[in-house]
Amino acid sequence: MRLILLGAPGAGKGTQATRLVEKFGIPQLSTGDMLRAAVKAGTPIGKRAQAIMDSGALVSDEIVVGIVADRIEEPDAKERLHP
């Protein structure tokens, strides 16, 4: 199952995602959380993102896609997304 929740800040995406995780046992992938984790871990892509965020610019789609690609290869997501 693949779902994408879109909406403005405070619209309830996180609340609904938590409910979906509990009901279906699927991992929740949040691009914001993944960006912060990559920066904190000091990964190469995290360092690129940090430099951009420090300058006040928006992180490019290329970087976000790279972080998502890395995340979906982790065991919990890989088992669910690539059965």
Side-chain angles (χ1 to χ4, degrees):
M1 176 181 306
R2 295 179 187 151
L3 303 170
I4 298 174
L5 305 178
L6 303 171
K13 299 177 301 287
T15 300
Q16 295 306 318
T18 300
R19 292 177 178 168
L20 293 165
V21 167
E22 291 172 5
K23 182 169 180 143
F24 297 107
I26 54 177
Q28 176 185 353
L29 308 181
S30 163
T31 54
D33 292 347
M34 289 185 280
L35 276 169
R36 287 185 286 277
V39 168
K40 184 175 181 181
T43 65
I45 204 159
K47 290 177 184 176
R48 287 177 57 201
Q50 182 67 57
I52 294 166
M53 291 187 294
D54 287 349
S55 76
L58 294 174
V59 177
S60 70
D61 290 345
E62 175 189 351
I63 291 175
V64 173
V65 168
I67 289 173
V68 171
D70 289 347
R71 175 63 179 91
I72 63 174
E73 289 303 316
E74 292 181 22
D76 68 326
K78 191 171 187 172
E79 291 173 13
R80 294 292 186 167
L81 298 173
H82 304 291

